[in-house]
Amino acid sequence: MRDMLDKCWTLTEEDIAALEIGSGILGTGGGGNPYTGKLRLREVLRAGHKPRVLPLEAVADDAKVVPIGGIGAPLVSFERLKEGREGLRCLRSLEERLGFKADAMACEEIGGQNSMEPLVTGALAGLPVVDGDGMGRAFPEMQMTTYCIYGHQSTPSVMCDPHGNAVAFEHAITEKWHERMARACVIAQGGASVLASAPMSGAFVKKYSIPHTYTQAIRLGRRVIAAQAANEDPIAAICASEGGKHVFSGKISDLKRYFERGFNTGVATIAGLDGDRGSQGEITIQNEFLVFRRDGEMEVCVPDLVVVLDLDSGLPLGTELLRYGQRIAVLALPCHELLRTPQALEVIGPAAFGFEDLIYRPMAEAE
């Protein structure tokens, strides 16, 4: 697999700073706080390790690629720092248990801190991370990846916490059962852990990853940084970059947020400002921003991305950072086509989150 390493590119501190912003935007409020992820990855880089990204098309068909990511609630992962080697312990335990050596890491979700987790583990293990992920955004449950949707069996898997505990899941009869068991375990471990799933073949990864999402996130972050430096509108830059739409501007007038069943849940109510004055927005939360309604009518819902930005700086806000009185912009970004198939919508469409009355219409069709 030496050829794969020769085709990688190594992240710089500037790349990591851009990734923090881009992954925060694509995280739709979840995926863990990217700022703490940036700090961890930067320290790994400064310690002499190399966080490397492998172009998707350069992955060998017979490569063994291990998907990895954090599991838990964003609020917990923000307040409780990781020990740092949870992912590496997951990887080594999985390799020993199954008798193989990984060739590369895969990102479960590009959103938030979970964009950094594979890079930290890969750098410590000397392995590259594939330029793609299983969501193109963030979702609250593990079965909501394109890997699982299109046939990957994610067990056996291993979960590790900051205390040194490791739990192996030998077999789950469905991906939903894997999520249920892992969610119960992460609650016992304190609400935020890391999980590595069974390896995928390189051929499968190339077919079913959301492609080039590390490149996308870093490009997106750079465009925001450039807009700020030029005193231009970063919100407009984001929409232009991603084919998105600025759907609402307002001030948070009420915020209900809970930690339950291992998730951050709640509702943010927004009083309209500027051209939206007189209207009321509402965002439903389950780790991520799932549905945006204007005056009671749904305008954007999963799997398209509901993104919340600081109205003045254009920087992304996670669900754990929302506060009463904040001035925010709500954006809608289109999801990748792999998330819009009937097979995918059964798992990540509005009905999968309990919104039986909502019918998903892709952004391009709704305009």
Side-chain angles (χ1 to χ4, degrees), residues 37 50 62 73 88 130 166 223 233 305 343:
K50 294 183 178 180
D62 59 347
L88 184 62
V130 175
R223 290 189 177 177
D233 182 4
L305 287 65
Q343 187 175 349

Side-chain angles (χ1 to χ4, degrees), residues 73-351:
L75 182 61
V76 176
S77 67
F78 182 53
E79 293 183 346
R80 186 183 75 169
L81 295 179
K82 286 183 167 64
E83 177 270 335
R85 291 180 172 258
E86 293 92 334
L88 184 62
R89 292 199 300 273
C90 286
L91 174 64
R92 296 304 186 216
S93 177
L94 193 66
E95 288 177 326
E96 181 179 358
R97 188 173 189 83
L98 299 182
F100 79 103
K101 293 297 290 183
D103 299 306
M105 308 299 300
C107 181
E108 294 271 11
E109 61 179 4
I110 195 64
Q113 187 173 160
N114 263 338
S115 67
M116 314 283 184
E117 199 65 55
L119 291 165
V120 170
T121 300
L124 294 174
L127 297 173
V129 179
V130 175
D131 189 6
D133 79 301
M135 295 183 179
R137 46 162 298 155
F139 283 118
E141 298 184 11
M142 295 192 309
Q143 78 279 7
M144 295 175 175
T145 66
T146 51
Y147 310 142
C148 294
I149 289 168
Y150 295 108
H152 175 59
Q153 183 173 330
S154 58
T155 52
S157 64
V158 176
M159 180 190 295
C160 295
D161 69 8
H163 310 294
N165 297 308
V167 176
F169 298 91
E170 181 66 31
H171 177 67
I173 57 174
T174 66
E175 295 303 313
K176 183 66 174 178
W177 268 106
H178 188 203
E179 158 68 27
R180 289 171 179 166
M181 293 186 293
R183 191 67 53 178
C185 183
V186 77
I187 292 171
Q189 290 184 343
S193 298
V194 177
L195 186 140
S197 299
M200 305 178 289
S201 72
F204 181 90
V205 170
K206 286 188 286 188
K207 187 173 183 179
Y208 293 118
S209 289
I210 307 295
H212 314 305
T213 46
Y214 276 103
T215 301
Q216 177 190 13
I218 292 171
R219 180 189 70 241
L220 187 51
R222 285 175 176 162
R223 290 189 177 177
V224 171
I225 293 169
Q228 291 173 331
N231 291 319
E232 296 174 351
D233 182 4
I235 296 174
I238 293 167
C239 290
S241 174
E242 305 304 313
K245 182 179 179 182
H246 184 172
V247 296
F248 200 81
S249 295
K251 182 171 69 173
I252 296 178
S253 58
D254 191 26
L255 181 62
K256 296 180 175 66
R257 187 170 47 200
Y258 313 96
F259 177 64
E260 55 185 9
R261 299 179 292 110
F263 300 104
N264 289 349
T265 62
V267 176
T269 304
I270 313 155
L273 294 173
D274 303 328
D276 298 304
R277 193 174 299 277
S279 291
Q280 179 174 283
E282 181 182 278
I283 302 175
T284 306
I285 299 167
Q286 183 185 333
N287 280 10
E288 284 75 45
F289 304 120
L290 300 182
V291 179
F292 170 73
R293 295 178 174 87
R294 177 196 293 266
D295 298 327
E297 296 294 323
M298 185 272 286
E299 287 196 0
V300 192
C301 74
V302 286
D304 285 335
L305 287 65
V306 179
V307 178
V308 175
L309 308 174
D310 179 89
L311 186 58
D312 300 311
S313 69
L315 294 176
L317 296 171
T319 58
E320 77 281 359
L321 297 179
L322 296 185
R323 299 290 184 269
Y324 175 82
Q326 274 177 327
R327 289 162 42 89
I328 65 171
V330 182
L331 272 59
L333 304 182
C335 68
H336 190 270
E337 60 186 17
L338 282 174
L339 303 179
R340 299 198 298 260
T341 67
Q343 187 175 349
L345 290 175
E346 288 183 6
V347 181
I348 55 174

